[in-house]
């Protein structure tokens, strides 16, 4: 079992215990254990394989959790988790996916109304059964109905990072099959779309039959939907569908281009080819008149045959990329290696799991020049947000740490920052005394997501107008597959941000990717800077920067459009 799965099971145990009304100390220890495991850089499996003591001494993992980890590594399951699941109805954990419903509310809904699934919750809300319960009103009923609709609208699609881990696993598996020379992903995955309908994988192989046999027998496969010599489709246990195509070398480029999509891009490209007297399909590019094949082995050839340079997959959405390519005006897209630092990182002081020391060491491994420490302000109580005294103390600690870095000859520095809440009335959740000492104030909305369009826009604009913010964090508040963006007039927010020199964040958490691609492109057009940050709560999250960079590429961003491609001096001087 991998760390991620063990962390998920611990988090579910905490949820289940909380719904049941279990011992708060125990609930906290499982929840904390889950966060710690998510943040580990080494796999529990390999620590365990090193010997009996391998799992000892992990902070936050006591004897009881350690025993459960060993049980999961040995037996692949956790009896305690299974028992808890048996005690409660199967659909109850799904209630927690509805925005606004936490374990306490789920427990209340279950005990008072017997609600044990999302469908039942929807029925109860629509039947006005909720507003008499403590802490719920008519407004909550409406919000729950909306949240469930949102959940449905996005379900059926898979989050990018879930799909990506499956894809990597399948690619490694297929590469090992004798006679397989090339394995590539196509479709929305190759375009780094933020959610995926299914996975598309292409291979070149000598013997398709061997490949297809291995494919449908992959241990994650639940059902084979279809199995042929050139194409097979399977559904995985997780519900994700994977399409595999076996191709010949001489048509691979055309197929890769075709199956990478998007469909809209392909249609525009096909129309262009037609105007040139050419026919383009998954087998190649052909002249209309004679049917002669003029391209197909590589993607470059395919694009060249219609008079275009190769177009990076992230741009292939028919949002102007073909016209730009024609004019030689494709953007020189941002690369992961352009990123010089991270401007949104949490420590143990709020809800992160690492110390300054650990973060500095990890960031230097990334080759970063700086990291802005941006712990929560006190409005975010559950995240142990900092009040003035703690914030001032942290600022001193960072100064002292930077002094030590300097003495030891290190180039790396911390920036003094905060993720400061923009309160419902648009004021900031830190005193001017704190704000004036910061290098990097990141404004954020963490509550009151259901405000009207006018109120939310006004709130954010007021926050920007304080003149104290440097960056606006996760500007639309969406959680992919969980919660839709709050209502906000982003045009107005962007205009105000531009006026006050505030950069917009592209939060790299794969569930957020907020700003989305379309807003990124718009921000660039308006001349705003985007800060691509990880919002790391553990050093293991720092690598999420790749998701942010690819999302930014989908938004046409270049190095010059991104704040944290700049060096330490330039960033601090802002
Ligand atoms: P997804 O799976 O919904 O996240 O999105 P895609 O883009 O991966 O779509 P998928 O898996 O249905 O098909 C893969 C690619 O195949 C798609 O991006 C473009 C190509 N394709 C599929 N259907 C059509 C079509 O009807 N016309 C054209 N021109 N291309 C298509
Ligand atoms: Ca697909
Ligand atoms: Ca597909």
């Amino acid at each position: 079992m991998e760390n991620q799965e063990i962390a998920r099971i611990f988090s579910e145990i905490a949820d289940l215990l909380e719904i049941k009304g279990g011992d708060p100390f125990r609930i906290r220890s499982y929840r904390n254990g889950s966060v710690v495991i998510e943040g580990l850089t080494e796999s529990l499996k390999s620590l365990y394989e090193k010997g009996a003591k391998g799992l000892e001494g992990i902070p936050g993992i006591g004897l009881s959790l350690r025993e459960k980890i060993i049980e999961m590594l040995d037996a692949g399951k956790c009896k305690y988790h299974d028992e808890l699941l048996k005690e409660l109805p199967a659909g109850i954990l799904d209630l927690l996916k509805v925005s606004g419903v936490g374990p306490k509310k789920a427990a209340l809904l279950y005990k008072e109304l017997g609600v044990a699934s999302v469908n039942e919750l929807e029925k109860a809300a629509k039947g006005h059964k909720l507003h008499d319960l403590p802490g719920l009103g008519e407004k909550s009923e409406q919000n729950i109905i909306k949240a469930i609709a949102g959940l449905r609208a996005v379900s059926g699609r898979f989050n990018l990072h879930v799909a990506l881990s499956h894809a990597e696993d399948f690619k490694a598996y297929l590469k090992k099959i004798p006679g397989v020379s090339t394995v590539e992903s196509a479709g929305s995955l190759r375009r780094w779309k933020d959610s995926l309908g299914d996975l598309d994988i292409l291979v070149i192989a000598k013997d398709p039959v061997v490949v297809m046999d291995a494919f449908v027998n992959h241990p994650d496969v639940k059902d084979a939907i279809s199995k042929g010599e050139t194409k097979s489709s399977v559904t995985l246990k997780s519900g994700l569908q994977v399409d595999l195509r076996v191709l010949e070398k001489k048509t691979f480029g055309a197929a890769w281009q075709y199956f990478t999509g998007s469909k809209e891009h392909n249609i525009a490209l096909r129309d262009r080819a037609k105007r040139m007297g050419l026919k383009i399909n998954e087998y190649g590019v052909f002249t209309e008149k004679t049917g002669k094949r003029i391209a197909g082995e590589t993607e470059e050839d395919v694009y060249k045959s219609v008079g275009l340079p190769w177009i990076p997959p992230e741009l292939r959405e028919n949002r102007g990329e073909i016209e730009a390519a024609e004019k030689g005006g494709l953007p020189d897209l941002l690369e992961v290696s352009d990123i010089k630092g991270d401007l949104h990182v949490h420590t143990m002081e709020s809800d992160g799991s690492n110390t300054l020391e650990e973060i500095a060491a990890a960031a230097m491994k990334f080759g970063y020049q700086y990291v802005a420490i941006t712990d929560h302000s006190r409005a975010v109580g559950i995240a142990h947000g900092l009040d003035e005294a703690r914030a001032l103390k942290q600022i001193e600690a960072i100064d002292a740490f930077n002094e030590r870095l300097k003495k030891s000859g290190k180039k790396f520095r911390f920036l003094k920052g905060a993720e400061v809440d923009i309160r419902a009335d648009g004021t900031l959740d830190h005193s001017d005394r704190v704000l004036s000492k910061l290098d990097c104030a990141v404004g954020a909305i963490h509550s009151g997501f259901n405000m009207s369009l006018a109120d939310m826009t006004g709130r954010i604009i007021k926050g920007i107008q304080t003149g104290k913010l440097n960056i606006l964090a996760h500007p639309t508040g969406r959680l992919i597959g969980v919660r839709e963006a709050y209502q906000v007039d982003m045009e107005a927010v962007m205009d105000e941000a531009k006026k006050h020199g505030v950069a917009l964040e592209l939060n790299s958490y794969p569930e957020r990717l907020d700003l989305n691609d379309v807003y990124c492109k718009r921000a660039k057009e308006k001349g705003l800077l985007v800060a691509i940050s990880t919002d790391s709560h553990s050093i293991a999250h720092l690598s999420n920067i790749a998701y942010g960079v690819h999302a930014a590429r989908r938004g046409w961003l270049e190095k010059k459009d991104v704040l944290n491609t700049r060096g330490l001096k330039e960033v601090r001087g802002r």
Side-chain angles (χ1 to χ4, degrees):
M1 230 185 231
E2 299 304 324
N3 288 8
Q4 213 183 350
E5 181 65 5
I6 295 173
R8 188 186 63 80
I9 288 174
F10 279 171
S11 154
E12 272 191 21
I13 290 176
D15 288 339
L16 291 163
L17 284 171
E18 203 165 348
I19 294 171
K20 252 184 65 173
D23 168 24
F25 177 76
R26 185 180 292 185
I27 295 169
R28 208 171 321 128
S29 94
Y30 277 100
R31 206 168 301 289
N32 191 32
S34 167
V35 173
V36 168
I37 291 168
E38 268 204 336
L40 288 179
T41 43
E42 236 181 311
S43 102
L44 289 167
K45 200 161 75 189
S46 63
L47 285 172
Y48 181 49
E49 279 162 4
K50 277 184 197 155
K53 288 205 180 304
L55 291 170
E56 285 176 26
I58 304 174
I61 305 288
L63 178 63
S64 149
L65 266 64
R66 201 157 62 232
E67 283 172 357
K68 303 241 165 17
I69 294 172
I70 292 173
E71 183 195 346
M72 284 187 263
L73 290 173
D74 283 340
K77 57 183 195 161
C78 172
K79 223 164 71 195
Y80 185 49
H81 178 241
D82 290 347
E83 280 164 10
L84 284 169
L85 279 173
K86 265 185 225 140
E87 280 178 46
L88 291 160
I92 204 145
L93 284 170
D94 291 338
L95 293 180
L96 305 178
K97 292 186 192 147
V98 179
S99 166
V101 179
K104 287 214 178 67
K105 235 173 236 173
L108 185 74
L109 291 163
Y110 177 54
K111 277 185 202 121
E112 297 298 320
L113 303 172
V115 164
S117 70
V118 174
N119 284 341
E120 284 167 13
L121 178 60
E122 188 178 32
K123 227 163 98 192
K126 286 189 170 157
H128 301 291
K129 301 255 170 19
L130 306 184
H131 64 260
D132 290 336
L133 297 179
L136 288 157
E138 277 182 36
K139 197 141 179 233
S140 338
E141 283 178 345
Q142 290 315 309
N143 289 341
I144 283 175
I145 293 168
K146 252 201 270 171
I148 293 174
L151 195 64
R152 296 239 170 84
V154 283
S155 66
R157 294 190 67 80
F158 280 74
N159 199 299
L160 172 59
H161 74 292
V162 176
L164 190 66
S165 76
H166 278 304
E168 274 165 4
D169 188 37
F170 264 94
K171 280 162 77 177
Y173 174 82
L174 292 167
K175 269 182 196 149
K176 284 193 205 132
I177 299 170
V180 170
S181 58
T182 300
V183 183
E184 296 287 359
S185 22
S188 46
L189 182 74
R190 185 166 175 233
R191 305 196 314 277
W192 289 84
K193 219 175 141 160
D194 52 28
S195 74
L196 287 86
D198 65 13
L199 279 184
D200 303 280
I201 301 177
L202 310 181
V203 308
I204 301 177
K206 280 212 191 89
D207 187 351
V209 178
V210 178
V211 178
M212 294 307 189
D213 278 342
F215 177 59
V216 299
N217 285 311
H218 185 285
D220 286 350
V221 169
K222 190 162 155 256
D223 296 308
I225 305 167
S226 64
K227 187 173 169 240
E229 283 229 347
T230 54
K231 189 197 164 192
S232 299
S233 293
V234 297
T235 329
L236 307 185
K237 289 170 189 154
S238 63
L240 181 67
Q241 184 181 321
V242 187
D243 294 345
L244 178 71
R245 287 183 174 79
V246 179
L247 301 156
E248 283 176 65
K249 187 162 178 277
K250 85 174 200 291
T251 59
F252 188 81
W256 204 17
Q257 194 289 318
Y258 181 87
F259 292 112
T260 294
S262 66
K263 192 171 160 185
E264 292 72 19
H265 173 88
N266 287 354
I267 290 170
L269 201 69
R270 196 173 58 209
D271 288 348
R272 179 184 170 84
K274 219 173 190 169
R275 288 196 297 273
M276 298 170 72
L278 299 171
K279 209 179 96 190
I280 190 167
N281 61 29
E282 63 208 268
Y283 304 105
V285 185
F286 307 85
T287 59
E288 286 277 16
K289 265 201 201 123
T290 62
K292 187 175 170 252
R293 189 165 176 278
I294 58 165
E297 183 158 345
T298 70
E299 273 198 328
E300 282 80 359
D301 289 348
V302 170
Y303 282 102
K304 204 169 145 200
S305 71
V306 291
L308 297 175
W310 181 82
I311 299 177
E314 292 97 326
L315 296 179
R316 300 184 194 170
E317 298 290 344
N318 195 29
R319 293 185 188 144
E321 70 279 8
I322 293 177
E323 295 77 359
E326 180 167 42
K327 284 187 256 161
L330 281 176
D332 182 9
L333 293 181
L334 179 77
E335 309 271 350
V336 175
S337 58
D338 292 329
I339 300 292
K340 300 279 181 356
D342 199 326
L343 294 169
H344 189 162
V345 172
H346 294 271
T347 73
M348 281 168 76
E349 240 348 86
S350 65
D351 56 346
S353 44
N354 293 101
T355 60
L356 290 179
E357 199 101 43
E358 290 160 346
I359 295 167
M364 282 188 263
K365 277 195 202 143
F366 275 76
Y368 285 169
Q369 299 179 16
Y370 53 86
V371 160
I373 296 300
T374 54
D375 278 318
H376 288 285
S377 61
R378 92 207 119 152
V380 194
I382 41 168
H384 201 45
L386 278 63
D387 59 14
E388 180 173 68
R390 286 175 61 215
L392 292 171
K393 218 172 126 200
Q394 187 182 48
I395 288 170
E396 276 179 28
I398 292 175
D399 279 335
F401 197 93
N402 278 339
E403 209 42 52
R404 270 202 278 150
L405 285 166
K406 196 171 161 188
K407 279 206 185 108
S408 60
K410 296 275 194 311
K411 290 249 159 55
F412 176 85
R413 295 289 180 274
F414 279 117
L415 297 177
K416 290 168 280 187
E419 181 175 15
V420 47
D421 262 59
I422 303 173
R423 299 185 191 117
D425 64 0
T427 58
L428 301 183
D429 194 36
H430 268 311
S431 65
D432 282 351
R433 185 152 171 237
V434 170
L435 292 168
S436 66
K437 290 182 195 286
L438 299 179
D439 304 308
C440 183
V442 181
I445 303 281
H446 288 111
S447 59
F449 297 122
N450 295 310
M451 284 171 110
S452 70
L453 176 76
D455 286 352
M456 185 59 94
T457 308
R459 172 186 184 179
I460 297 175
I461 284 183
K462 211 171 147 206
I464 292 171
Q465 284 171 342
T466 61
K468 314 270 180 194
L469 295 180
N470 303 95
I471 297 171
L472 181 64
H474 35 74
T476 74
R478 72 162 175 173
L479 286 179
I480 299 164
V482 177
R483 179 174 82 204
E484 290 191 79
Y486 38 69
Q487 300 186 67
V488 58
D489 178 352
M490 280 305 288
E491 286 290 319
V493 167
M494 286 190 206
D495 289 339
E496 205 62 28
K498 167 95 206 242
K499 242 189 259 168
H500 291 269
V502 173
L504 297 188
E505 180 178 273
L506 194 181
N507 190 294
S508 307
Y509 245 84
E511 288 87 356
R512 286 198 185 268
L513 298 176
D514 178 10
L515 294 182
N516 69 16
D517 44 9
V518 174
Y519 284 137
C520 267
K521 189 157 184 247
R522 190 76 189 121
K524 176 192 172 119
E525 283 161 8
K526 284 180 176 281
L528 281 132
L529 278 174
V530 174
I532 303 178
S533 306
T534 59
D535 196 354
S536 286
H537 285 71
S538 142
I539 50 176
H541 298 154
L542 289 170
S543 58
N544 283 339
I545 195 74
Y547 290 104
V549 168
H550 285 284
R553 289 166 63 91
R554 287 180 58 81
W556 292 53
L557 297 194
E558 301 176 271
K559 188 176 173 185
K560 65 173 168 49
D561 304 316
V562 176
L563 173 58
N564 49 318
T565 59
R566 302 183 177 182
L568 175 66
K569 270 204 193 105
E570 226 184 318
V571 166
R572 192 149 45 185
R574 266 172 56 87

